[in-house]
């Protein structure tokens, strides 16, 4: 009662804000849920459809059943995928290529950042500036000259006990790995992180007779978990998702990564159930990683915001 | 280096005691320093060599190759042809079509994706319980590869696909959807919408890190003054995001210029070149037709555009600060 009287006289109502806040909060939740549906339902549709036969996928489209795991569910599409494409081979290739790129990327970029951050090198300021300057070049602008260039590069072929020198990296594993190991942004991230680790630790270790490699491996790297996680994620995602590059440089089926496998599904009869199954198969590992390491993923994107 | 330093100190056996001590000390520190230089360069060199091999040299090559007739695999060595590739490019109708498409894409996608991402960032920038769950949902398309996203949306957009069924259902059968990807006027907008869907979560996180740099005290002061929600946004949030805004503008623009995967999976540039782009054109001539030189010329134009856009962005940020 009192509040009703007050609202008539006072300019700033007392009861209204609480009510307005509730409406605001309700509308905010409505928008959150609607956006949640828009951003997750297509993926939900993909996973659910991968379990249904083609006829049912189309039959369910006109109802909410399209997003629900109902009806005749099976893993038949998944086994059909393995009949149509060498999916196991593609998965192994992608896992291997991503793993090697991540491990070597973390090692080589952190070593470079360590030298630039912890050691008194002549001209290190210029080197760091030059490295960061390369960030402006999008990979797509270099891709085509790079195809020509890797076709001129030499390689040592090992056949049992004999070594032979070959020319041209096209259609190999190394062409999918080596160009993506060194990364200016990874060096930058490691450098930023190393700068936050007190240098007194190095000095103390040096007094105890530790060399630079020991300081790197025993002191600085063990303290850099978050930076290692960020760089690993930012290296893994493009390696796993790479498409443009392997499309151009890999012809042999046994060397192909997962993303190139999608081409097989448009030859002969198109089965959307199989396409959804293959898509789910190559997406689920990344989604599982994302859910397990969510904080690191989000942090790595947030730090990539400083790029530019 | 070390041996010569040792030699210069050795032939000087000290007759007076206090002198050699500091001399020896400098030789030890300088030996230590030169070892530090060598170890440092040893640690730095793998990364530097790889960056030179796979970024610097290809960048220089794209300049060189663009003025030759180099082919990917050719029995003849490349020869200098001057501006021929550029003359051909600037009379190529597909090239102008690519520029128009890329500009159209950027013009729509930059504000739309930036806007949706900002809305999501504001909605999850509270400590209310349950909000993290929505952050996860919004972010899921980002960890999904563009190839998978393109396949999925090909089905959603197909003539009897999910989108048209939803349109028919919501309008009680009154409206009928188009054959989105096979119609020259809807193909590119359909790809734009899908790209916004895939990329918004990424930029949401970047906006979010920008939002978190704005001091909470400003909002508290505003609340005491009883400002409206719109005023809070207009006078605190928006000015506080100036730096983030420029960054997002530039990254989405370059993402638009680099448009390739969606096109290659979904439309192959068609229908009637309605979705062709610079990178798609470069790949088609450089890889499918093996004309490395012509593709390098396209890449060079692309690179020039990136530089111009970055320069404009730098100019804009300088004026504001």
């Amino acid at each position: 009662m009192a509040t009703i009287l007050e609202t008539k006289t006072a300019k700033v109502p007392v009861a209204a804000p609480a009510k307005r806040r509730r409406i605001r909060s309700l509308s905010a939740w409505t928008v959150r849920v609607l956006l949640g549906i828009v951003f997750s339902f297509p993926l939900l549709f993909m996973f659910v459809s991968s379990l249904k036969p083609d006829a049912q996928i189309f039959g369910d489209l006109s109802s909410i059943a399209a997003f629900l795991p109902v009806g005749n569910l099976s893993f038949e599409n998944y086994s059909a995928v393995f009949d149509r494409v060498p999916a196991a081979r593609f998965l192994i290739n992608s896992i291997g290529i991503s793993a090697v790129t991540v491990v070597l990327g973390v090692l080589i970029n952190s070593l470079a950042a360590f030298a630039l951050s912890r050691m008194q090198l002549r001209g290190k300021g210029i080197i760091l500036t030059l490295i960061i300057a390369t960030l402006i070049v999008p990979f797509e602008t270099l891709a085509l000259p790079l195809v020509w260039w890797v076709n001129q590069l030499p390689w040592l072929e090992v056949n049992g006990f004999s070594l032979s020198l070959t020319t041209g990296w096209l259609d190999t594993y190394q062409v999918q790995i080596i160009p993506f190991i060194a990364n200016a942004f990874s060096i930058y991230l490691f450098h930023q992180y190393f700068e936050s680790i007190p240098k007194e630790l190095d000095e103390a270790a040096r007094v105890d007779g530790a060399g630079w490699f020991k300081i790197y491996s025993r002191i600085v790297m063990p303290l850099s978990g978050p930076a290692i996680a960020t760089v690993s994620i930012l290296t893994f995602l493009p390696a796993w998702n790479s498409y443009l590059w392997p499309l151009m440089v890999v012809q042999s089926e046994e060397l192909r990564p997962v993303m190139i496998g999608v081409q097989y599904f448009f030859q002969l009869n198109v089965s959307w159930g199989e396409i959804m199954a293959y898509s789910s198969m190559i997406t689920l590992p990344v989604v599982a990683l994302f859910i397990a390491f969510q904080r690191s993923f989000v942090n790595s994107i947030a730090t990539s915001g400083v790029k530019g | 280096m070390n041996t010569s330093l040792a030699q210069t100190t050795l032939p000087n056996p000290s007759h007076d005691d206090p002198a050699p001590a500091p001399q020896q000390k400098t030789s030890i520190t300088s030996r230590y320093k030169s070892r530090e230089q060598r170890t440092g360069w040893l640690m730095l060199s793998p990364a530097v060599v790889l960056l030179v091999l796979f970024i610097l040299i290809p960048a220089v090559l794209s300049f060189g190759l663009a003025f030759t007739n180099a082919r990917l695999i050719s029995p003849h060595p490349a020869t200098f042809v001057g501006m021929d590739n550029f003359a051909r490019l600037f009379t190529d109708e597909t090239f102008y079509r690519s520029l128009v498409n890329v500009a159209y894409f950027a013009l729509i996608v930059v504000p739309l994706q930036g806007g949706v991402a900002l809305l999501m960032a504001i909605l999850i920038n509270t400590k209310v319980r349950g909000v993290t769950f929505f952050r996860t949902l919004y972010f899921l398309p980002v960890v999904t590869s563009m190839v998978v996203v393109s396949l999925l949306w090909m089905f959603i957009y197909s003539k009897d696909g999910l989108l048209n069924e939803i349109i028919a259902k919501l309008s009680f059968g009154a409206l009928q959807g188009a054959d989105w990807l096979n119609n020259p006027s809807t193909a590119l907008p359909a790809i734009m919408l899908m790209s916004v869907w895939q990329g918004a979560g990424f930029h949401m996180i970047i906006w979010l890190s920008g939002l978190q740099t704005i001091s909470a005290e400003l909002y508290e002061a505003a609340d005491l003054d009883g400002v409206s929600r719109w005023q809070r946004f207009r006078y605190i949030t928006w000015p506080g995001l100036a730096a983030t805004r420029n960054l997002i503008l530039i990254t989405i623009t370059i993402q638009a210029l680099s448009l390739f995967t969606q096109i290659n999976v979904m439309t192959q540039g068609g229908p009637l070149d309605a979705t062709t782009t610079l990178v798609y054109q470069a790949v088609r001539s450089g890889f499918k037709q093996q004309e490395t030189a012509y593709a390098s010329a396209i890449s060079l134009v692309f690179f020039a555009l990136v530089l111009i856009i970055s320069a404009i962005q730098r100019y804009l940020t300088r004026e504001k600060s």
Side-chain angles (χ1 to χ4, degrees):
Chain A
M1 289 298 275
T3 51
I4 290 168
L5 284 174
E6 263 178 41
T7 49
K8 276 183 181 160
T9 49
K11 283 229 163 185
V12 183
V14 178
K19 198 175 170 189
R20 200 190 298 163
R21 209 172 297 143
R22 218 174 304 137
I23 293 170
R24 264 184 196 170
S25 144
L26 193 70
S27 62
W29 277 107
T30 313
V31 180
R32 277 187 200 117
V33 171
L34 283 178
L35 284 169
I37 290 173
V38 168
F39 281 87
S40 63
F41 270 39
L43 291 169
L44 184 65
F45 171 74
M46 177 176 93
F47 293 131
V48 166
S49 300
S50 73
L51 302 169
K52 296 176 183 173
D54 270 28
Q56 202 198 325
I57 296 176
F58 285 98
D60 285 351
L61 276 187
S62 54
S63 72
I64 192 75
F67 301 103
L68 298 174
V70 290
N72 183 12
L73 302 180
S74 72
F75 285 101
E76 232 152 78
N77 288 325
Y78 287 84
S79 57
V81 160
F82 285 92
D83 293 336
R84 191 192 280 257
V85 300
R89 182 79 204 198
F90 294 167
L91 281 167
I92 291 168
N93 286 344
S94 272
I95 291 169
I97 290 165
S98 318
V100 174
T101 313
V102 167
V103 170
L104 290 179
V106 166
L107 180 72
I108 281 174
N109 294 313
S110 64
L111 272 174
F114 178 86
L116 291 171
S117 160
R118 318 299 275 196
M119 302 173 76
Q120 299 298 323
L121 285 189
R122 275 185 291 268
K124 69 174 182 177
I126 299 166
I127 294 165
L128 189 63
T129 313
L130 285 176
I131 288 175
I132 290 171
T134 63
L135 283 174
I136 200 173
V137 190
F139 174 71
E140 286 82 356
T141 63
L142 297 179
L144 286 142
L146 192 57
V147 175
W148 184 86
W149 173 236
V150 294
N151 196 32
Q152 325 288 323
L153 290 176
W155 186 256
L156 264 181
E157 192 95 33
V158 187
N159 288 318
F161 292 102
S162 71
L163 286 174
S164 57
L165 200 64
T166 56
T167 305
W169 287 18
L170 294 185
D171 218 19
T172 58
Y173 280 121
Q174 78 260 22
V175 78
Q176 302 181 66
I177 297 171
I178 296 176
F180 306 102
I181 292 173
N183 182 296
F185 192 59
S186 301
I187 297 175
Y188 170 80
L189 284 178
F190 273 125
H191 185 265
Q192 290 294 94
Y193 199 85
F194 291 166
E195 289 288 293
S196 72
I197 300 173
K199 298 212 162 104
E200 286 78 23
L201 292 174
D202 305 15
E203 277 150 34
R206 254 176 12 218
V207 170
D208 291 344
W212 286 108
F213 280 99
K214 201 158 227 172
I215 296 173
Y216 163 82
S217 62
R218 294 287 164 79
I219 296 174
V220 172
M221 286 309 266
L223 288 172
S224 303
I228 296 171
T230 300
V231 168
S232 302
I233 287 165
L234 290 179
T235 314
F236 171 77
L237 275 182
W240 184 265
N241 291 339
S242 78
Y243 176 70
L244 166 63
W245 184 247
L247 196 68
M248 296 193 291
V249 296
V250 182
Q251 270 90 47
S252 306
E253 189 171 83
E254 68 267 21
L255 298 173
R256 284 183 173 161
V258 286
M259 295 304 156
I260 303 301
V262 302
Q263 291 173 336
Y264 290 71
F265 292 93
F266 294 96
Q267 297 157 0
L268 299 169
N269 53 329
V270 176
S271 157
W272 281 101
E274 288 177 30
I275 295 177
M276 297 300 168
Y278 188 71
S279 298
S280 303
M281 244 163 59
I282 61 181
T283 305
L284 275 174
V286 189
V287 169
L289 275 180
F290 164 58
I291 293 185
F293 299 103
Q294 201 171 149
R295 183 168 298 179
S296 299
F297 263 78
V298 170
N299 284 345
S300 63
I301 303 297
T303 49
S304 81
V306 294
K307 183 176 168 180
Chain B
M1 280 282 277
N2 286 334
T3 47
S4 73
L5 280 169
Q7 274 163 2
T8 50
T9 47
L10 275 175
N12 253 356
S14 49
H15 291 289
D16 44 341
D17 276 331
Q23 216 172 350
Q24 213 167 15
K25 204 174 175 185
T26 53
S27 99
I28 287 170
T29 52
S30 72
R31 190 187 306 173
Y32 179 81
K33 281 224 169 104
S34 80
R35 193 194 291 161
E36 183 171 352
Q37 293 292 325
R38 266 187 294 133
T39 317
W41 277 103
L42 191 68
M43 288 175 154
L44 196 54
S45 53
V48 169
V49 167
L50 289 172
L51 287 174
V52 167
L53 266 179
F54 298 109
I55 292 188
L56 191 65
I57 291 178
V60 173
L61 271 176
S62 76
F63 277 87
L65 290 170
F67 300 95
T68 66
N69 60 1
R71 298 182 62 84
L72 184 57
I73 296 157
S74 165
H76 312 292
T79 53
F80 182 78
V81 295
M83 298 298 284
D84 282 8
N85 290 316
F86 293 95
R88 181 177 150 203
L89 186 61
F90 291 132
T91 52
D92 185 347
E93 245 169 69
T94 319
F95 170 67
Y96 291 103
R97 197 60 224 244
S98 304
L99 284 181
V100 169
N101 286 343
V102 161
Y104 180 31
F105 187 93
L107 222 60
I108 305 292
V109 168
V110 169
L112 192 62
Q113 184 168 330
V116 170
L118 179 58
L119 176 68
M120 298 195 303
I122 291 173
L123 283 171
I124 62 164
N125 189 29
T126 62
K127 291 213 167 68
V128 185
R129 217 183 321 150
V131 158
T132 338
F133 173 69
F134 286 94
R135 187 188 69 186
T136 311
L137 290 189
Y138 304 159
F139 198 75
L140 277 178
V142 179
V143 295
T144 312
S145 111
M146 192 51 104
V147 173
V148 168
V149 168
S150 303
L151 281 176
L152 174 60
W153 283 75
M154 261 174 91
F155 184 73
I156 293 177
Y157 281 141
S158 64
K159 199 156 185 293
D160 43 6
L162 186 62
L163 180 64
N164 286 345
E165 289 289 343
I166 292 174
I167 289 175
K169 201 85 188 165
L170 289 182
S171 67
F172 300 103
L175 287 174
Q176 256 203 325
D179 189 1
W180 304 99
L181 293 172
N182 288 319
N183 180 334
S185 60
T186 55
L188 194 55
I191 293 176
M192 289 175 190
L193 201 70
M194 179 195 84
S195 307
V196 169
W197 179 83
Q198 199 267 346
F202 182 91
H203 290 99
M204 164 187 80
I205 302 294
I206 297 181
W207 280 124
L208 195 61
S209 58
L211 285 175
Q212 281 160 358
T213 62
I214 301 173
S215 148
E217 285 165 30
L218 284 174
Y219 288 118
E220 281 160 23
D223 283 343
L224 287 178
D225 290 344
V227 302
S228 74
R229 202 153 219 212
W230 166 248
Q231 284 171 318
R232 263 168 70 116
F233 178 77
R234 174 69 189 80
Y235 296 105
I236 303 173
T237 312
W238 189 245
L241 290 173
T244 318
R245 211 158 55 223
N246 276 302
L247 175 77
I248 287 188
L249 183 77
I250 189 86
T251 50
I252 306 182
T253 313
I254 291 177
Q255 173 201 316
L257 277 171
S258 317
L259 187 60
F260 170 77
T261 303
Q262 299 95 305
I263 306 300
N264 197 55
V265 175
M266 299 174 90
T267 61
Q268 288 84 47
L272 301 170
D273 282 345
T275 59
T276 193
T277 66
L278 283 177
V279 179
Y280 185 74
Q281 207 191 351
V283 170
R284 199 163 53 179
S285 42
F287 167 61
K288 294 207 175 111
Q289 290 148 26
Q290 308 221 331
E291 294 180 297
T292 301
Y294 191 54
S296 296
I298 302 175
S299 300
L300 212 55
V301 171
F302 175 24
F303 187 46
L305 286 174
V306 170
L307 281 184
I308 291 168
I309 289 163
S310 309
I312 293 173
Q313 182 242 4
R314 200 142 294 180
Y315 173 76
L316 288 176
T317 38
R318 187 165 301 160
E319 223 180 18
K320 278 190 182 118
S321 59

